[in-house]
Amino acid sequence: MYRYLEHRLSERLLECLQRRYPGVALPEPVIEQPPKVELGDFAIPMFPFAKPLRSAPLKVAEAIRTEIGPIEGIAEMQVAPPGYLNVKIDRAWMARALAEDRKPPVEVPSGKILVEHTSINPNKAAHIGHLRNAILGDTFVRLLRYANREVDVQNYIDNTGVQVADVVVGFIHLEKKSRAEIEELTRQPRFDYYCWDLYASVSQWYEKDPANKQIRLQTLHAIEDATSEVAAIADVISTAVLRRHLETMDRLDIEYDFLPRESEILHLHFWNAAFEKLKASGVLTFESEGKNKGCWVMRRAGTSVASTTGDTGHHGGVEEEDRLKVIEPVEGVDVRKPNEIAEEDQKVIVRSNGTVGYVGKDIAYHMWKFGLLGRDFGYRKFYRYPNQHDCWISTTDGEKEHPHFGDVAEIYNVIDARQSEAQRTVVEALRGLGHDEAADHYTHFSYEMVALTPRCAAELGYSLSDEDKTRSYIEVSGRKGFGVKADDLLDQLIISAKKEVDSRHPQLSDSERLEIATQIAIGALRYFMLKYTKQSVIAFDFKDALSFEGETGPYSQYAAVRATSIFRKAGIDPDDCAAQVSNKLSAGDFAGYFGAADGDEIWGLWLAAAKTSEVIGQCIATTEPAYLAKHAFQLAQLFNTFYHNHPILSEADENRKRFLLATVAVVRRELIRSLAVMGIEVPPVM
């Protein structure tokens, strides 16, 4: 309701000014929150209107206050120097609306949104860095769905890249295993852990003799031949590891709708179709001289400001070989260059040896996402979640009946900040092809890396030098085998949480305590990954994440558990309580309680609870879920203060007791909703 009032106030203010000053172009009002609730609930600065209206800010504020007329839900307006309009909400009206959980009509934009996240190379176990990507992406999906948007969730699978090739090299050349032996290994628990160690061993093998990297390139080319034995082995490995990744993410209640694989992008000739369009539109030009002789290039994104070098991949900081993909030689090509590009401003898309960089295939993939390629995948069911939701995977043929994927209105790609240049290049290619609307609706949802505190690294058994122990964080490295596997992290968090639950609730069965510990552990992990802004480097620490105090998931969960316990003791259904109280208390009752000595304090709690939809809208507009984490923490803090200040169940005045219970019910509901959008469950006890 807070968001509804804010929008309504903005509309009425503009209508008022337009009546008084017809024909004047006016800026959108800026609505702020005063520092104290007693000053009002909205503060609107008049300074942006002073110049176009040629009037002093105070005079503009006074004109609005006098002429705007009554607004449902608004109690009064006051003019405040040096030029503000302070607005007070009708507290009784807002409280009744919240208690009844009224949902005013909201215009929902049309069109489906595609969110791509996780996108782990299927060559080894998922690690802690992948968890940040997946949790950010999954939470953004939940935010969009809360706002009633239709969302497809995709997880791009690079199953023909160099990381997969490296594990294939390990199995064939280091361990001398056949396809049958590898298939037998895939049936063992946590096959992805086996691959984790093997991947590190292969990296060490390459370092011993650089000539060994030639085997990597040979393997990479063989994988791209769908008929080869090497390609079959790569498929066995990548499919088994992918299934383990889905199982890992399922532990966090993270689901996907579709898994597009790079193998189908190659075999269904997505790149070839995109290549023809890029050449015909002049986005790509052929270089016949210079350092890029024989290459197809496009203008590097942002070169009007500064030139940059290097070629970053799509889904992680990877080596040059990671991005090499073979395409068929182009014959009869028109090599004229209608638009010369300075050599330093050239971005190589197709190399002189006939390979296309990762960015090239990324362009083709995103053309498919927007329905601009003229081709489609085949589809088959791959994984069924416990709730019976099916996750589909790409194939060359597939099932006749399947959901419609692609052809979306908006795209959000959750990819780390190191891939910014590659993302900008895709956008520039779309613009060069004449698809400005698609480019405008393409968002790189970037984020920074996850590391470990020295304490956390030591707890996980890693040996640290004296210098390491003084650092603020320790970086992880998959190639060196140094890092935290996602499943290990979850297991350790659950073990730690269960020790706390065991000590607090010995009367519960072991299975009940384990379930509660799991909810606490997942809540701790998800909140820890979300409370930092995306551009902050996270240094993960077990103790900090699991604390029941401070800005943590367990702290917010505990506030909701505490609120629920009040209703359990009273024998009242919390979900029905607020609406029932709204029927029993009059507007005058609500006004009287909010006007009492402690009324501002309690109103501050109701006002915070009213802002859930406002905060979610802010999270979507800025692609920053951290605002919702802050909102949940603030609600928990305010509720805990309220809980300690007001003995609710022992309140003698029956009507005031109803009012206090309604306060608890509304805050509990909004806190549970906020946590649910972050993928965090509230346990029955803590």
Side-chain angles (χ1 to χ4, degrees):
M1 296 306 296
Y2 183 90
R3 192 180 191 191
Y4 165 76
L5 279 184
E6 188 178 56
H7 289 172
R8 187 71 183 125
L9 181 60
S10 178
E11 290 173 352
R12 288 291 300 277
L13 186 148
L14 283 178
E15 289 171 4
C16 177
L17 289 177
Q18 286 164 353
R19 284 196 308 269
R20 184 178 177 87
Y21 303 95
V24 178
L26 298 173
E28 287 292 322
V30 175
I31 300 182
E32 303 170 352
Q33 184 174 337
K36 298 179 180 179
V37 294
E38 56 263 30
L39 296 176
D41 304 300
F42 302 112
I44 311 174
M46 296 291 108
F47 312 108
F49 301 110
K51 186 174 181 180
L53 298 180
R54 298 181 181 180
S55 182
L58 278 173
K59 288 186 177 181
V60 177
E62 183 59 41
I64 294 171
R65 188 191 68 80
T66 304
E67 300 177 20
I68 196 169
I71 302 173
E72 184 186 33
I74 299 299
E76 63 176 297
M77 296 184 179
Q78 298 174 342
V79 176
Y84 282 89
L85 190 65
N86 287 342
V87 182
K88 290 188 176 182
I89 292 173
D90 182 336
R91 295 181 176 184
W93 179 90
M94 173 70 90
R96 291 178 72 87
L98 278 174
E100 295 166 11
D101 200 15
R102 294 182 205 161
K103 293 182 171 59
V106 177
E107 186 176 344
V108 179
S110 62
K112 186 164 58 175
I113 297 176
L114 189 159
V115 178
E116 179 197 332
H117 68 80
T118 308
S119 304
I120 310 170
N121 290 308
N123 69 317
K124 64 181 186 303
H127 60 61
I128 190 170
H130 298 135
L131 289 180
R132 187 178 196 186
N133 183 308
I135 290 169
L136 281 170
D138 178 66
T139 302
F140 195 66
V141 169
R142 292 168 185 264
L143 287 162
L144 291 168
R145 287 177 174 162
Y146 184 93
N148 295 316
R149 297 302 303 270
E150 182 185 2
V151 186
D152 267 356
V153 187
Q154 297 194 9
N155 177 356
Y156 181 89
I157 310 301
D158 183 2
N159 62 334
T160 65
V162 73
Q163 287 91 349
V164 171
D166 284 346
V167 178
V168 172
V169 167
F171 276 115
I172 295 176
H173 296 278
L174 273 68
E175 298 198 338
K176 312 296 184 184
K177 293 191 183 297
S178 66
R179 193 208 307 189
E181 290 172 320
I182 297 169
E183 287 176 340
E184 179 60 31
L185 278 174
T186 66
R187 290 187 277 272
Q188 303 302 311
R190 294 193 170 180
F191 171 70
D192 52 338
Y193 278 42
Y194 188 102
C195 292
W196 175 288
D197 294 334
L198 183 58
Y199 181 66
S201 298
V202 172
S203 298
Q204 294 168 7
W205 185 62
Y206 290 151
E207 290 175 1
K208 289 179 181 178
D209 185 354
N212 291 336
K213 284 194 175 183
Q214 291 301 312
I215 296 176
R216 167 199 272 176
L217 292 176
Q218 294 166 11
T219 303
L220 183 63
H221 283 264
I223 287 174
E224 293 176 356
D225 177 3
T227 64
S228 72
E229 177 69 5
V230 172
I233 290 173
D235 183 62
V236 167
I237 295 167
S238 62
T239 300
V241 172
L242 171 58
R243 193 171 294 277
R244 281 290 303 119
H245 288 169
L246 297 188
E247 291 168 353
T248 298
M249 296 306 165
D250 194 18
R251 297 180 70 185
L252 291 161
D253 196 23
I254 295 174
E255 298 181 355
Y256 311 93
D257 299 313
F258 178 48
L259 310 171
R261 295 188 296 183
E262 190 165 278
S263 53
E264 277 69 57
I265 289 179
L266 287 169
H267 301 150
L268 295 172
H269 307 294
F270 276 29
W271 164 247
N272 290 358
F275 192 25
E276 294 304 317
K277 293 178 184 289
L278 292 165
K279 288 185 296 181
S281 64
V283 174
L284 293 185
T285 59
F286 186 80
E287 288 299 301
S288 56
E289 57 187 24
K291 69 173 184 179
N292 293 327
K293 181 179 179 180
C295 299
W296 286 89
V297 304
M298 64 176 283
R299 181 173 295 281
R300 189 180 297 275
T303 52
S304 59
V305 177
S307 296
T308 55
T309 58
D311 185 2
T312 54
H314 176 52
H315 296 288
V318 296
E319 296 186 2
E320 183 68 13
E321 293 91 340
D322 295 25
R323 300 183 298 273
L324 300 182
K325 304 295 173 191
V326 175
I327 62 169
E328 297 299 322
V330 180
E331 297 180 0
V333 168
D334 181 358
V335 297
R336 291 176 298 171
K337 294 188 294 179
N339 299 308
E340 294 286 344
I341 305 172
E343 194 171 83
E344 65 272 16
D345 294 341
Q346 294 172 1
K347 174 74 173 179
V348 175
I349 302 299
V350 182
R351 299 175 182 83
S352 58
N353 63 359
T355 61
V356 57
Y358 207 124
V359 174
K361 281 194 317 316
D362 217 18
I363 293 169
Y365 173 40
H366 285 88
M367 289 173 67
W368 168 81
K369 286 182 178 181
F370 279 120
L372 304 172
L373 191 63
R375 294 179 184 242
D376 198 5
F377 294 103
Y379 302 90
R380 66 177 172 84
K381 293 176 183 177
F382 180 74
Y383 188 90
R384 175 161 286 185
Y385 294 99
N387 63 5
Q388 303 306 301
H389 172 66
D390 285 316
C391 177
W392 295 71
I393 197 167
S394 65
T395 183
T396 51
D397 42 28
E399 301 178 28
K400 291 182 179 180
E401 299 295 326
H402 58 80
H404 179 68
F405 298 108
D407 194 19
V408 298
E410 299 177 57
I411 293 172
Y412 291 88
N413 281 339
V414 185
I415 307 168
D416 76 49
R418 292 169 293 181
Q419 313 313 319
S420 294
E421 184 191 343
Q423 292 293 289
R424 290 195 302 269
T425 300
V426 174
V427 171
E428 290 306 309
L430 289 170
R431 293 198 188 283
L433 289 165
H435 302 304
D436 285 340
E437 185 177 358
D440 290 341
H441 290 91
Y442 178 106
T443 301
H444 175 199
F445 189 119
S446 67
Y447 65 93
E448 278 293 347
M449 69 174 182
V450 182
L452 307 175
T453 63
R455 178 173 64 185
C456 181
E459 287 176 0
L460 289 164
Y462 292 108
S463 58
L464 303 178
S465 66
D466 290 337
E467 182 182 355
D468 287 337
K469 294 174 183 177
T470 63
R471 292 179 178 175
S472 56
Y473 60 82
I474 307 294
E475 291 188 40
V476 299
S477 170
R479 288 193 181 277
K480 296 178 181 178
F482 179 79
V484 183
K485 301 180 187 73
D487 281 309
D488 283 350
L489 177 60
L490 282 167
D491 292 343
Q492 187 63 46
L493 284 168
I494 291 169
I495 290 169
S496 298
K498 191 167 184 298
K499 289 178 182 177
E500 186 72 26
V501 176
D502 287 346
S503 66
R504 292 181 179 220
H505 302 285
Q507 78 282 4
L508 298 177
S509 68
D510 190 66
S511 62
E512 289 174 317
R513 296 197 304 272
L514 178 60
E515 183 177 359
I516 292 167
T518 301
Q519 291 172 321
I520 294 171
I522 290 173
L525 176 60
R526 291 190 69 122
Y527 191 94
F528 196 89
M529 291 294 185
L530 293 169
K531 74 175 183 177
Y532 298 96
T533 57
K534 297 177 303 174
Q535 301 311 319
S536 303
V537 173
I538 292 179
F540 186 82
D541 186 275
F542 286 110
K543 185 176 180 181
D544 291 344
L546 277 171
S547 174
F548 278 51
E549 300 298 327
E551 192 177 353
T552 65
Y555 178 83
S556 295
Q557 287 173 308
Y558 186 68
V561 168
R562 173 176 275 172
T564 301
S565 71
I566 293 172
F567 294 100
R568 186 185 303 116
K569 291 174 183 176
I572 299 171
D573 184 342
D575 295 322
D576 295 335
C577 173
Q580 291 174 358
V581 168
S582 179
N583 293 329
K584 293 178 180 178
L585 296 182
S586 67
D589 291 329
F590 277 108
Y593 294 130
F594 286 129
D598 57 2
D600 283 342
E601 174 215 327
I602 298 176
W603 170 245
L605 184 53
W606 281 80
L607 187 62
K611 292 181 179 178
T612 301
S613 292
E614 169 76 7
V615 172
I616 286 175
Q618 183 184 19
C619 292
I620 293 171
T622 60
T623 61
E624 184 52 86
Y627 295 125
L628 186 59
K630 300 294 183 187
H631 174 66
F633 177 59
Q634 182 190 27
L635 270 181
Q637 277 186 310
L638 290 172
F639 172 74
N640 284 332
T641 300
F642 168 83
Y643 176 85
H644 288 297
N645 290 344
H646 301 278
I648 300 163
L649 295 181
S650 60
E651 172 61 52
D653 184 321
E654 193 61 32
N655 266 3
R656 179 170 170 80
K657 181 177 179 179
R658 290 192 183 104
F659 169 70
L660 295 177
L661 283 169
T663 302
V664 177
V666 166
V667 174
R668 172 187 174 275
R669 182 189 70 211
E670 296 305 315
L671 184 54
I672 290 173
R673 280 179 178 170
S674 298
L675 290 171
V677 174
M678 292 189 285
I680 298 173
E681 293 182 303
V682 175
V685 296
M686 286 183 70

